[in-house]
Amino acid sequence: MAEQAVSKVYRRDVRISTRKVMIVLDLIRDKDAKLALGILKNTPKAAAPYITKLLNEAVANAENNFGMSADKLYVAECFATPGRTLKRIMPRAKGRADRILKRTSHITLAVKERN
């Protein structure tokens, strides 16, 4: 059986926590690419613009590099893993300091052609 081509795209160190990204990725997993773009356009979450840009990139790569049809594409795989954590200090009372963790994510998205 022939190996089916997959268009995978990555975005590293996106300045948003992985938990927030996974909520949006769960909405578009296994959906058609056009439907997923519509869902992302109407999702009022902070991660939606990052994922929209990534999905557009994956569709463009699939069309130009692999010769796939944009109408048959679907989101085959999408996940987010924790990236680097930026550690910052916030001054507090009596000369103390609290640590602020600014989390980042690595987002992966893959599209395939439906049979």
Side-chain angles (χ1 to χ4, degrees):
M1 189 163 143
E3 181 84 16
Q4 189 175 6
V6 179
S7 175
K8 263 192 180 183
V9 289
Y10 311 94
R11 183 71 63 233
R12 290 178 49 82
D13 291 317
V14 178
R15 263 295 292 123
I16 188 168
S17 74
T18 306
R19 290 176 62 174
K20 293 177 184 178
V21 175
M22 287 304 293
I23 291 169
V24 180
L25 288 178
D26 289 340
L27 294 174
I28 65 166
R29 189 174 289 115
D30 294 326
K31 301 269 192 315
D32 289 333
K34 287 185 179 179
L35 178 62
L37 281 171
I39 291 169
L40 290 170
K41 185 178 178 185
N42 294 300
T43 302
K45 293 283 189 183
Y50 296 114
I51 298 170
T52 302
K53 191 171 180 180
L54 212 57
L55 183 57
N56 285 328
E57 192 177 318
V59 170
N61 286 348
E63 285 180 300
N64 294 319
N65 299 346
F66 299 107
M68 296 181 195
S69 171
D71 299 329
K72 294 181 181 179
L73 291 176
Y74 75 101
V75 180
E77 183 182 17
C78 58
F79 58 90
T81 56
R84 288 180 261 222
T85 300
L86 305 173
K87 295 168 179 86
R88 300 293 181 256
I89 300 296
M90 179 179 276
R92 303 311 296 231
K94 299 183 181 180
R96 294 189 175 101
D98 279 351
R99 181 167 266 181
I100 304 295
L101 301 177
K102 297 187 176 236
R103 300 186 189 278
T104 63
S105 301
H106 301 320
I107 307 171
T108 303
L109 196 139
V111 294
K112 279 187 185 177
E113 223 173 18
R114 285 219 195 267
N115 294 337

